[in-house]
Amino acid sequence: MLHSMSTTVEPSSERSAAEVNEEIRALWLRSGGTLSVEQREEYQRLVLEWAAAAPEPANAA
């Protein structure tokens, strides 16, 4: 079964990409490597938050 992922990010706070990444790592650690439906939804939200917080890559000239 495929689940749709929302493309909107709800900025709950101004966290850095590193802070969000730590939360993503903790989620995976807590899950033992297999995410439940609820954990997948949280993971998707965190990835979107991380992407919004990550610095833009520099373009190669």
Side-chain angles (χ1 to χ4, degrees):
M1 173 183 259
L2 294 176
H3 298 278
S4 63
M5 183 168 58
S6 173
T7 57
T8 59
V9 177
E10 302 277 333
S12 58
S13 65
E14 295 291 326
R15 299 192 296 172
S16 71
E19 290 171 312
V20 179
N21 189 40
E22 284 301 314
E23 190 171 340
I24 291 170
R25 289 175 184 264
L27 173 63
W28 277 106
L29 188 61
R30 285 191 313 270
S31 75
T34 303
L35 299 177
S36 68
V37 172
E38 292 82 17
Q39 289 169 321
R40 271 185 263 147
E41 291 171 358
E42 181 181 0
Y43 174 75
Q44 291 171 347
R45 181 190 58 78
L46 289 168
V47 168
L48 289 172
E49 183 181 348
W50 174 85
E56 294 290 321
N59 291 334

